[in-house]
Amino acid sequence: MAKFINTELDLDVEIVAITQRQAVPYWTAMQEESGASGPAQWHSILCAAAEAKWFVGKIEPLDYTPAQARWLAEELATHLLEESQIPNA
């Protein structure tokens, strides 16, 4: 599990350990929303993660401020990239 905390934005969100079970539906949902930008892009990232059951608790992406949505969306996208890295042996 991973926690994303930003006290300045009043965010404290926990996600499950990402497996292919979460990564594939997330990526599929993201591909359907390609071309979105700004707040629509942040919203699509949060919705895709929620649809793929990433979050430990229930979230409502439209309840976040634009700053909260942007920060969390960027953190989630970065987290997936980090989880996808193949370690150097």
Side-chain angles (χ1 to χ4, degrees):
M1 289 200 211
K3 253 190 153 170
F4 301 95
I5 300 170
N6 185 319
T7 53
E8 290 180 26
L9 293 174
D10 193 29
L11 273 179
D12 185 348
V13 177
E14 188 172 12
I15 65 169
V16 299
I18 302 298
T19 66
Q20 285 292 90
R21 190 174 309 280
Q22 289 80 30
V24 171
Y26 168 83
W27 196 257
T28 302
M30 287 300 302
Q31 294 304 306
E32 292 170 1
E33 294 293 328
S34 67
S37 63
Q41 181 182 35
W42 311 324
H43 179 72
S44 66
I45 290 171
L46 298 181
C47 286
E51 183 180 314
K53 297 181 172 52
W54 281 31
F55 300 101
V56 171
K58 184 170 170 44
I59 70 151
E60 176 49 60
L62 289 175
D63 287 344
Y64 291 115
T65 67
Q68 289 172 323
R70 179 181 180 177
W71 181 84
L72 185 55
E74 289 176 357
E75 291 294 312
L76 293 174
T78 300
H79 181 70
L80 180 58
L81 288 174
E82 290 170 350
E83 292 293 305
S84 301
Q85 295 298 313
I86 299 171
N88 292 331

